[in-house]
Amino acid sequence: MRVLKSRSVKPRPISKLLMKVGSSRCYVSSCRAVLLPRFGGPEVLELRSDVPVPDLKPNEVLVRARAVSINPLDTRMRSGYGRSIFEPLLPLILGRDVSGEVAAIAASVKSLKVGQEVFGALHPTAVRGTYADYAILSEDELSPKPASVTHVEASAIPFAALTAWRALKSTARIAEGQRLLVIGGGGAVGFAAIQLAVAVGCHVSTTCGNRSINRVMAAGAEQAIDYTAEDIEAVIKGKFDAVLDTIGVAETERIGINLLNRGGHYMTLQGEAAALSDRYGLPIGLPVATALLLKKRIQYLYSYGIEYSWTYMRADSEGLHEIRRLTEAGKLNIPVEKTFSISQVREAHEAKDKKTILVFLACLLYTRMLHIMWEFCRCKHSVSCRNL
Ligand SMILES: NC(=O)c1ccc[n+]([C@@H]2O[C@H](COP(=O)([O-])OP(=O)(O)OC[C@H]3O[C@@H](n4cnc5c(N)ncnc54)[C@H](OP(=O)(O)O)[C@@H]3O)[C@@H](O)[C@H]2O)c1
């Protein structure tokens, strides 16, 4: 297979690695696709040339894929995240985002026509993903592609931006003049959230890595705190109406909760339903997750007066059209780090895994440093106590 191109795209690398895909046929019964036959490392991914393309259901659209992006969900699913749901359904096709052209439409599809350029994203639990020459999405998961961006740029946007949209618009219902804190503004979802909130007229603060600071400030954030070097609570001024926590570990949850006004919304992307179901099986894991969520909701409501939510990506045609409008107006973009050919899918996953580990290590190192500093202060404190 020919490598189409490998490039670094403006303005600085972040989260998105993309594969350019495509075929010259317009109607197909089988096509190339990347299969996940079992869970594991990047080596388990298999590019096959004769994967059947199922018949379309009445509301579905066949999209000839020109580019698909690699989200953290893809690498996590490949490693076994969600196995309680997906294991009986193997082999899967990974991939949520796609940008391409409409190759065929089913009977009840009214808003799109064959040949039209579109972009969109599948629901997190879709089994036939987009790592294929031909992807199938429902009509409400697609929108005309913004003309101002390439397929590569377009395919980086929908899944991340729709996740941010759901949290900010459906859950927190952000409004002009409100204050929003985005924990993890350097990532795709966080960066989309900053741009969506700025477009609404919110005042946005964010935490991100050093290399992301210029980018998030240029996107309209009013304050950017380097989580690898600064004490977030010491640096941030005032309280917030909403916190979107894309990292969702205990420390960021504690910080987010403490920085909220009464009546504010704390939203984490790291809901525990899938992890608990993977650990205990669906019949036990799901009720345990529901009980845990309920407990936290009650606890935070009564102790802090705030709304606590696990938030998930959902297809939302109104959201996708607004995302398209903002992209076209130059107000929303997700930088692309590197582009791979579909035949390089293993390398693409390796690169995404490596980046995740690096960020994790940087974060761990900083947390460890804070811990050592805390121990040091405690030590000094106890010495002075003894001296008294
Ligand atoms: N619930 C859902 O439906 C849903 C949907 C989409 C994503 N997610 C999850 O949300 C998370 C983010 O997704 P994404 O697509 O935005 O990932 P991404 O583009 O890979 O971004 C990850 C970024 O997080 C930043 N980061 C890491 N640790 C941090 C910390 N302690 N504080 C602040 N920033 C930190 C890093 O930014 P810097 O480069 O600035 O260091 C890193 O680049 C992933 O875990 C993903 O699985 C959930």
Side-chain angles (χ1 to χ4, degrees), residues 12-16 71-73 76 81 124 159-160 163 182-191 207-213 215 225 227-228 232 245-247 249 252 268-271 310-314 352 355-356 359-360 363:
R12 93 150 197 84
I14 54 153
S15 51
K16 289 285 183 175
N71 283 286
L73 182 62
R76 290 173 78 183
Y81 176 77
F159 190 77
T163 305
V182 178
I183 298 176
V189 178
F191 192 52
T207 67
C208 61
N210 183 27
R211 292 188 318 157
S212 306
I213 286 180
R215 177 165 51 84
I225 300 115
Y227 70 91
T228 65
I232 299 165
D245 186 353
T246 72
I247 310 304
V249 295
T252 55
T268 174
L269 296 184
Q270 311 297 343
W310 293 348
T311 179
Y312 296 96
M313 181 273 180
R314 278 272 171 84
K352 186 73 185 162
K355 182 164 182 222
T356 308
V359 169
F360 176 72
C363 191

Side-chain angles (χ1 to χ4, degrees), residues 8-323:
S8 302
V9 187
K10 53 172 184 181
R12 93 150 197 84
I14 54 153
S15 51
K16 289 285 183 175
L17 306 166
L18 294 117
M19 287 181 295
K20 284 185 92 176
V21 295
S23 141
S24 57
R25 289 168 297 176
C26 268
Y27 181 73
V28 280
S29 57
S30 70
C31 72
R32 283 187 309 170
V34 176
L35 293 188
L36 179 76
R38 61 185 187 285
F39 300 119
E43 71 286 351
V44 300
L45 297 170
E46 288 176 13
L47 178 62
R48 299 251 186 93
S49 57
D50 54 353
V51 178
V53 177
D55 291 340
L56 299 180
K57 296 193 185 107
N59 64 336
E60 285 182 338
V61 178
L62 184 67
V63 178
R64 189 165 70 180
R66 292 304 186 190
V68 303
S69 74
I70 298 177
N71 283 286
L73 182 62
D74 304 346
T75 52
R76 290 173 78 183
M77 277 172 68
R78 190 207 68 222
S79 309
Y81 176 77
R83 65 168 65 233
S84 54
I85 302 168
F86 295 118
E87 195 149 36
L89 303 170
L90 290 171
L92 306 179
I93 300 178
L94 298 175
R96 306 294 104 184
D97 289 306
V98 67
S99 182
E101 295 117 33
V102 175
I105 53 174
S108 66
V109 174
K110 297 281 177 272
S111 63
L112 298 169
K113 53 183 192 295
V114 172
Q116 193 171 1
E117 293 194 318
V118 287
F119 79 144
L122 287 162
H123 190 268
T125 55
V127 172
R128 193 185 189 282
T130 58
Y131 290 7
D133 282 343
Y134 289 86
I136 296 175
L137 291 88
S138 62
E139 184 179 14
D140 63 358
E141 291 171 331
L142 288 165
S143 166
K145 179 181 85 65
S148 56
V149 294
T150 63
H151 284 299
V152 165
E153 290 163 335
S155 74
I157 296 169
F159 190 77
L162 281 167
T163 305
W165 173 272
R166 181 163 166 78
L168 302 183
K169 288 294 206 164
S170 309
T171 305
R173 296 196 181 87
I174 55 164
E176 190 178 353
Q178 287 191 327
R179 294 193 78 213
L180 170 73
L181 172 64
V182 178
I183 298 176
V189 178
F191 192 52
I194 292 170
Q195 295 169 89
L196 291 174
V198 166
V200 168
C202 292
H203 305 284
V204 184
S205 297
T206 189
T207 67
C208 61
N210 183 27
R211 292 188 318 157
S212 306
I213 286 180
N214 289 344
R215 177 165 51 84
V216 299
M217 295 299 284
E222 292 172 9
Q223 188 178 20
I225 300 115
D226 179 358
Y227 70 91
T228 65
E230 291 176 274
D231 179 350
I232 299 165
E233 285 163 299
V235 177
I236 281 192
K237 307 256 176 318
K239 297 238 173 184
F240 294 86
D241 301 297
V243 172
L244 175 61
D245 186 353
T246 72
I247 310 304
V249 295
E251 178 66 358
T252 55
E253 180 169 316
R254 186 188 63 72
I255 292 171
I257 298 282
N258 282 334
L259 286 171
L260 273 169
N261 287 320
R262 283 189 87 76
H265 287 267
Y266 171 86
M267 299 159 289
T268 174
L269 296 184
Q270 311 297 343
E272 297 189 51
L276 287 168
S277 299
D278 290 347
R279 191 175 312 156
Y280 302 114
L282 274 177
I284 296 178
L286 271 188
V288 170
T290 310
L292 178 67
L293 176 60
L294 205 62
K295 177 182 160 269
K296 285 197 163 195
R297 287 181 71 93
I298 293 169
Q299 177 192 333
Y300 285 134
L301 191 62
Y302 280 92
S303 316
Y304 296 84
I306 63 144
E307 300 280 347
Y308 172 95
S309 315
W310 293 348
T311 179
Y312 296 96
M313 181 273 180
R314 278 272 171 84
D316 178 329
S317 52
E318 188 197 326
L320 190 56
H321 285 292
E322 178 63 4
I323 286 161

